[in-house]
Amino acid sequence: MDVSKYLVKPGAAFDPAAWPTREGDGFGGGKKAARKELREIGGKLGELQARLYAEGRRALLIVLQGMDTAGKDGTIRHVFSMVNPQGVRVTSFKKPTHLELAHDYLWRVHAHTPARGEIGIFNRSHYEDVLVVRVHDLVPPEVWGRRYEHINAFEKLLADEGTRIVKFFLHISREEQKKRLEARLQNPRKNWKFNPADLEERALWDSYMEAYRAALEQTSSAYAPWYAVPADRKWQRNLIVARVLLQTLEEMDPQYPKIDFDPGAIHVD
Ligand code: AMP
Ligand code: MG
């Protein structure tokens, strides 16, 4: 269960074009075995989350990024289905409001970082401020250019203060995105997910890949690593994310707090 092959090594080059968007059919023992493993990991994540919550000393922040249709919502649905909703908070970052734009770009993000004992999931994140913002020239290059340093410092602050961070780039191919956008047009139950503006973003694919390359190269660190996950096949994507999270939480090894009474000596009437 080695997940290190998906890790973007801190300081190393990252080339999205050379990074796989799918594993072979035999990955995880095949689709059926992979689904079974996902269920098993789901149960373990549930137990680890209960311990993290009971311990109440540390937090886990999960960042999900990827092109439209890469599967950010689906990953949350599948990987966290067995985790107690009380201990998990999902924040979806949209186009900033006027109020948000009146502050620095990390203001709205910091407000949603997980509290001690919680798992926080960012569906999009502060990385949009070096992705969509860079691709669309929403601020000049000297402004987005210094943000990588801010982001590293911000994540170091969170890590130093007790938040474990793990970041996922859900990597799909341009061809797979075409299929998924077509499915959103063809399936009435998926129509609502289609946004004509997604086609404009799709046309900027290469600029986005360049922005992702820069972001992952400059912000994958020991305290906030990036994993680039082959995401063309949903069952592979789910299992890879689940494996990384299991490893992360096992390393954190949260413990139920020590009690300062003898439960055996207490009688409940
Ligand atoms: P969705 O994830 O489909 O709900 O779309 C959210 C949209 O908000 C995407 O097009 C993002 O690129 C956009 N968005 C998120 N954060 C920012 C940001 N900081 N600046 C500009 N656009 C953003
Ligand atoms: Mg969308």
Side-chain angles (χ1 to χ4, degrees):
M1 220 188 76
D2 185 17
V3 292
S4 63
K5 66 181 280 203
Y6 306 111
L7 174 71
V8 177
K9 307 255 175 334
F14 171 72
D15 179 7
W19 198 276
T21 58
R22 65 179 61 189
E23 291 286 2
D25 291 338
F27 173 78
K31 196 170 179 171
K32 210 166 150 227
R35 289 212 167 120
K36 180 162 176 279
E37 186 184 334
L38 178 65
R39 280 195 301 278
E40 286 163 6
I41 293 179
K44 291 181 190 168
L45 291 177
E47 167 62 19
L48 285 157
Q49 184 265 335
R51 272 158 53 184
L52 186 77
Y53 188 81
E55 181 191 78
R57 288 199 302 115
R58 293 170 292 169
L60 174 62
L61 173 61
I62 298 159
V63 171
L64 291 174
Q65 286 288 160
M67 296 295 284
D68 291 312
T69 77
K72 299 182 287 292
D73 302 284
T75 301
I76 295 170
R77 200 165 62 243
H78 287 100
V79 177
F80 294 93
S81 62
M82 289 166 86
V83 172
N84 180 355
Q86 279 227 82
V88 180
R89 218 142 46 87
V90 182
T91 308
S92 299
F93 289 96
K94 310 283 182 187
K95 219 163 153 284
T97 63
H98 287 293
L99 179 66
E100 288 167 349
L101 281 174
H103 294 78
D104 71 83
Y105 66 99
L106 290 174
W107 179 76
R108 67 169 183 167
V109 177
H110 207 162
H112 290 284
T113 53
R116 298 181 203 288
E118 282 184 344
I119 296 179
I121 304 172
F122 282 180
N123 183 343
R124 300 188 189 270
S125 65
H126 43 301
Y127 284 95
E128 292 294 325
D129 294 285
V130 288
L131 293 165
V132 63
V133 168
R134 168 174 167 157
V135 168
H136 285 277
D137 297 314
L138 300 182
V139 298
E142 61 271 25
V143 174
W144 58 253
R146 54 191 184 221
R147 290 184 172 172
Y148 303 97
E149 209 182 317
H150 302 156
I151 289 173
N152 286 329
F154 172 60
E155 292 177 350
K156 180 75 163 58
L157 158 80
L158 296 177
D160 284 350
E161 294 288 321
T163 299
R164 180 79 177 232
I165 304 169
V166 58
K167 304 177 291 197
F168 296 99
F169 168 47
L170 304 181
H171 189 27
I172 56 166
S173 63
R174 202 161 179 272
E175 299 71 48
E176 181 64 22
Q177 190 196 50
K178 178 177 161 69
K179 285 187 200 150
R180 293 185 185 183
L181 287 172
E182 285 170 350
R184 286 182 178 185
L185 289 168
Q186 284 153 14
N187 183 343
R189 287 168 56 214
K190 289 186 177 174
N191 284 169
W192 67 275
K193 275 197 161 187
F194 185 81
N195 178 352
D198 292 349
L199 298 181
E200 290 160 36
E201 303 311 302
R202 176 173 167 77
L204 295 166
W205 189 274
D206 292 343
S207 305
Y208 270 104
M209 288 307 114
E210 180 55 23
Y212 270 108
R213 184 194 62 72
L216 271 64
E217 284 184 352
Q218 295 186 60
T219 65
S220 199
S221 58
Y223 52 87
W226 273 107
Y227 288 87
V229 177
D232 275 356
R233 305 267 176 87
K234 295 171 186 174
W235 59 275
Q236 297 177 348
R237 170 202 79 201
N238 292 339
L239 183 56
I240 294 166
V241 171
R243 283 176 173 178
V244 173
L245 291 177
L246 179 63
Q247 181 182 292
T248 304
L249 274 160
E250 281 181 345
E251 275 173 26
M252 289 175 80
D253 193 22
Q255 300 295 324
Y256 287 111
K258 294 235 179 326
I259 46 176
D260 55 5
F261 53 86
D262 174 8
I266 298 178
H267 176 72
V268 181
D269 276 332

